[in-house]
């Protein structure tokens, strides 16, 4: 499977993501600059964390208008897996690929720690290798991870099983303890925690690896004969 | 040329943690008469005259980029200036 790690000016988790895919997962991966006009040759799109365009105006607001985002929308519409982590999640919200918006953490503090997440929905292409309700340990590092949506949107997310990860001890004030959601179709996942930083016990947790393994397994089953 | 002042604030229904922190700071300074604080953004745009209606342009800029309609409201003031 061939992954693209989209690099915006200000991305800073792109190398972690690349390492997770290449060295821990053993799949093909390439960095793709934000002005790229074509993502057709990639099977999966990864939007890494960081501070795209300095987070000026709002997190993700400027990145959303970069050239490559037209291609990311096209890939999402084609049903390819699109994963946005942290700033990547904020970009997916700003671009409308996922519903809702991010506010500053309730505490107003930047939070950097490993948290416990519950797998709320294991029936997605991103979580099939986890058990339903499994509790996993994944690091977070953000100042604006306080997910917000209105009551109607929350009802839709709940009814369609789009809430994929929730926090055990809500660190940032997110509505309904939300840590990660998918789009309705289930091929776009945005999450604030960093699974790419939890792919080896040396890093304190390897619980993030199953997320990437899920993507690959589901892709192989759909695209490779005798997978 | 137009000088456009744009004010972006969190919608009333959205909790403003920065405003809440500043309010409690003012209270701790004994300004207990401060009932509420909301923090927003102020932007000044200089826009050249176009064939399009200036209000239409400003509304478009605000809804597409300057404000996020999911959590923010905006308002603006337009001043027309004559350039020699």
């Amino acid at each position: 499977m061939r992954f693209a790690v989209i690099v915006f000016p200000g991305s800073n988790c792109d190398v972690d993501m690349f390492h997770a895919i290449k060295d821990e997962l053993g799949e093909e991966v390439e960095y793709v600059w934000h002005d790229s006009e074509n993502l057709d040759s990639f099977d999966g799109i990864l939007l890494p964390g960081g501070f795209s365009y300095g987070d000026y105006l709002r997190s993700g607001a400027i990145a959303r208008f970069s050239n490559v985002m037209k291609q990311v929308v096209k890939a999402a519409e084609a049903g390819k897996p699109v994963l946005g982590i942290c700033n990547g999640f904020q970009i997916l919200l700003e671009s409308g690929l996922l519903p809702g918006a991010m506010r500053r953490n309730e505490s107003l503090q930047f939070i950097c720690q490993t948290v416990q997440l519950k797998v709320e929905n294991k029936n997605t292409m991103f979580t099939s290798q986890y058990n339903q309700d499994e509790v996993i340990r994944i690091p977070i590092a953000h100042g604006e991870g306080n997910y917000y949506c209105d009551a109607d949107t929350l009802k839709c997310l709940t009814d369609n099983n789009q809430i994929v990860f929730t926090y055990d001890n809500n660190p940032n004030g997110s509505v309904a303890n939300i840590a990660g959601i998918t789009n309705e179709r289930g091929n776009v996942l945005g999450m604030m925690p960093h699974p790419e930083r939890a792919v080896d016990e040396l890093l304190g947790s390897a619980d993030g690896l199953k997320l990437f393994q899920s993507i690959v397994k589901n892709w192989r089953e759909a695209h490779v004969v005798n997978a | 040329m137009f000088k456009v002042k744009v004010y972006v604030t969190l919608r009333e229904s959205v909790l403003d943690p920065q405003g809440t922190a500043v309010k409690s700071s003012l209270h701790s300074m004994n300004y207990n008469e401060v009932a509420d604080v909301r923090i927003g953004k102020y932007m000044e745009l200089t826009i050249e005259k176009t064939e399009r209606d200036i209000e239409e342009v400003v509304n478009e800029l605000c809804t597409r980029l300057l404000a996020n309609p999911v959590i923010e409201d905006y308002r603006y003031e337009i001043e027309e200036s004559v350039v020699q």
Side-chain angles (χ1 to χ4, degrees), chain A residues 142-187:
Chain A
H142 58 246
E144 285 186 38
N146 182 352
Y147 178 78
Y148 173 84
C149 66
D150 61 27
D152 290 345
T153 308
L154 181 61
K155 188 173 182 311
C156 285
L157 290 175
T158 311
D159 291 351
N160 298 327
N161 290 318
Q162 288 171 247
I163 300 170
V164 174
F165 297 111
T166 54
Y167 299 108
D168 257 8
N169 290 303
N170 192 337
N172 50 35
S174 285
V175 163
N177 302 322
I178 284 173
I181 56 169
T182 62
N183 60 345
E184 211 174 324
R185 184 172 175 180
N187 68 310

Side-chain angles (χ1 to χ4, degrees), chain A residues 44-218:
Chain A
I45 313 296
L46 306 169
L47 303 177
F51 297 86
S52 56
Y53 300 88
D55 270 0
Y56 296 149
L57 195 62
R58 292 182 310 278
S59 309
I62 298 177
R64 170 244 189 285
F65 288 102
S66 61
N67 245 343
V68 79
M69 283 309 294
K70 291 187 199 91
Q71 301 304 313
V72 173
V73 170
K74 195 176 143 199
E77 282 168 357
K80 290 183 186 178
V82 176
L83 170 64
I85 289 166
C86 202
N87 194 236
F89 185 11
Q90 294 161 341
I91 296 168
L92 292 175
L93 294 172
E94 284 287 340
S95 66
L97 282 170
L98 293 173
M102 282 297 171
R103 297 170 296 179
R104 292 190 64 183
N105 294 345
E106 213 166 47
S107 63
L108 296 179
Q109 288 170 333
F110 189 96
I111 306 169
C112 185
Q113 57 186 211
T114 296
V115 298
Q116 296 203 148
L117 303 180
K118 186 170 147 198
V119 179
E120 294 282 344
N121 182 3
K122 70 151 274 152
N123 299 313
T124 78
M125 64 169 76
F126 302 97
T127 51
S128 58
Q129 297 301 293
Y130 293 107
N131 296 318
Q132 181 65 33
D133 299 335
E134 185 176 339
V135 174
I136 59 175
R137 295 176 62 251
I138 305 280
I140 58 168
H142 58 246
E144 285 186 38
N146 182 352
Y147 178 78
Y148 173 84
C149 66
D150 61 27
D152 290 345
T153 308
L154 181 61
K155 188 173 182 311
C156 285
L157 290 175
T158 311
D159 291 351
N160 298 327
N161 290 318
Q162 288 171 247
I163 300 170
V164 174
F165 297 111
T166 54
Y167 299 108
D168 257 8
N169 290 303
N170 192 337
N172 50 35
S174 285
V175 163
N177 302 322
I178 284 173
I181 56 169
T182 62
N183 60 345
E184 211 174 324
R185 184 172 175 180
N187 68 310
V188 178
L189 171 67
M191 62 190 291
M192 286 314 291
H194 288 269
E196 82 284 8
R197 292 188 191 170
V199 288
D200 190 311
E201 289 300 340
L202 259 181
L203 300 171
S205 169
D207 290 348
L209 195 55
K210 282 192 214 167
L211 189 148
F212 298 105
Q213 288 167 340
S214 301
I215 302 175
V216 172
K217 184 162 188 292
N218 284 285

Side-chain angles (χ1 to χ4, degrees), chain A residues 2-44:
Chain A
R2 195 149 177 266
F3 287 93
V5 173
I6 311 294
V7 184
F8 299 96
S11 294
N12 65 11
C13 302
D14 44 341
V15 180
D16 300 28
M17 192 82 99
F18 190 95
H19 164 78
I21 301 299
K22 187 168 195 292
D23 303 320
E24 303 292 343
L25 196 66
E27 296 293 322
E28 278 184 70
V29 57
E30 260 181 53
Y31 293 116
V32 175
W33 192 230
H34 64 99
D35 59 1
S36 167
E37 304 266 350
N38 196 330
L39 293 174
D40 290 351
S41 65
F42 296 98
D43 308 308

